[in-house]
Amino acid sequence: MNVAILRFPGTNCEFDTKYAFEKLGHTTQIIWHNDKTLPENVDLVVVPGGFSYGDYLRSGSIARFAPVMQEVSKFAANGGKVLGICNGFQILTEAGLLPGALKRNTNLHFISKYQHLKVVSTDNSFLNKCQKDEVIHIPIAHADGNYYVDNEDLTKMKENGQILLKYCDASGKEESINGSVEAIAGVCNETKNVFGLMPHPERAIELLLGSDDGVKMLKGFES
């Protein structure tokens, strides 16, 4: 699998992402934000975490206008798979590739820790190697992870299986850690080829670092 990883000024997880996918045996290429094309043979585009453009104005609000994002939008419209992690999730919502928006955490603090997540839907190419209602444990690190979507869109997302992950405790009970609507931690678009989540699966691929639950998440794209 050929993976293109975007880089904006302020991105800081591109090399973690590169390491993770290469450890799984895939070919990666880092793409600069001013590039106007994507590699012809790309199978997956990843928008990694960090603080694109310093999170000025609003997280992801400037990055969504970068030249490369026009190509990402075209790629997604043609059925290409796109994954946004943390700041990448924020960028994809700002670009209109995912529903909803990410707001400041309700406690107004940056949260950085390992967090339990409940798998809500596996009917997609991201989480198909997980089990429904499985509890996984991977890191989170964000200040603007409070996911918001209005009731009308939330209902549609539930009906279409677009809610992928929820924050929970070790037993699987939903847990509000940042104010997200219904504890939502990850979603996909209606056609299920664009995915976004606040937690960092690329930081959970080795037991030495605390968890390898991210492996089965990222390997889902191999199917």
Side-chain angles (χ1 to χ4, degrees):
M1 187 167 70
N2 295 307
V3 183
I5 302 166
L6 305 191
R7 177 195 279 170
F8 301 90
T11 297
N12 64 16
C13 293
E14 68 270 46
F15 293 111
D16 290 348
T17 305
K18 177 180 174 67
Y19 176 83
F21 278 102
E22 290 183 353
K23 183 176 176 63
L24 298 179
H26 305 301
T27 302
T28 66
Q29 183 175 348
I30 293 179
I31 309 299
W32 186 233
H33 68 112
N34 274 334
D35 287 357
K36 297 181 180 180
T37 60
L38 291 171
E40 291 185 3
N41 61 344
V42 67
D43 299 301
L44 172 68
V45 173
V46 182
V47 192
F51 304 89
S52 59
Y53 296 93
D55 279 350
Y56 290 115
L57 300 183
R58 188 174 60 250
S59 297
S61 63
I62 300 177
R64 62 86 77 233
F65 291 105
V68 73
M69 287 305 299
Q70 297 182 33
E71 293 305 303
V72 173
S73 294
K74 292 177 186 177
F75 180 74
N78 289 327
K81 296 176 184 177
V82 180
L83 172 65
I85 302 171
C86 200
N87 187 226
F89 184 14
Q90 296 162 341
I91 293 169
L92 293 180
T93 60
E94 291 287 339
L97 294 176
L98 286 174
L102 279 307
K103 305 188 297 179
R104 182 58 55 94
N105 297 342
T106 50
N107 64 9
L108 303 182
H109 291 295
F110 188 90
I111 303 172
S112 180
K113 64 175 183 173
Y114 265 84
Q115 173 66 41
H116 290 100
L117 304 168
K118 182 169 68 174
V119 177
V120 178
S121 175
T122 60
D123 183 24
N124 57 78
S125 59
F126 179 29
L127 299 178
N128 64 84
K129 295 189 182 300
C130 298
Q131 300 296 317
K132 189 177 185 304
D133 294 328
E134 177 181 358
V135 175
I136 56 182
H137 197 225
I138 67 175
I140 58 172
H142 58 254
D144 299 277
N146 180 355
Y147 181 75
Y148 173 79
V149 65
D150 63 39
N151 288 332
E152 182 178 352
D153 285 339
L154 179 63
T155 299
K156 292 178 182 178
M157 291 171 68
K158 289 180 177 178
E159 293 173 349
N160 196 41
Q162 291 176 247
I163 297 171
L164 304 181
L165 297 159
K166 291 192 175 186
Y167 301 107
C168 69
D169 62 18
S171 69
K173 181 181 178 181
E174 290 182 19
E175 183 177 53
S176 178
I177 65 161
N178 55 19
S180 290
V181 170
E182 296 196 8
I184 292 173
V187 304
C188 67
N189 65 342
E190 188 173 350
T191 52
K192 299 184 181 180
N193 66 304
V194 180
F195 308 88
L197 74 164
M198 288 309 298
H200 287 267
E202 81 284 7
R203 297 183 185 176
I205 60 166
E206 293 174 316
L207 286 174
L208 179 66
L209 298 180
S211 172
D212 63 355
D213 285 346
V215 171
K216 56 189 166 186
M217 300 175 77
L218 299 182
K219 283 179 72 70
F221 289 111
E222 299 173 4
S223 302

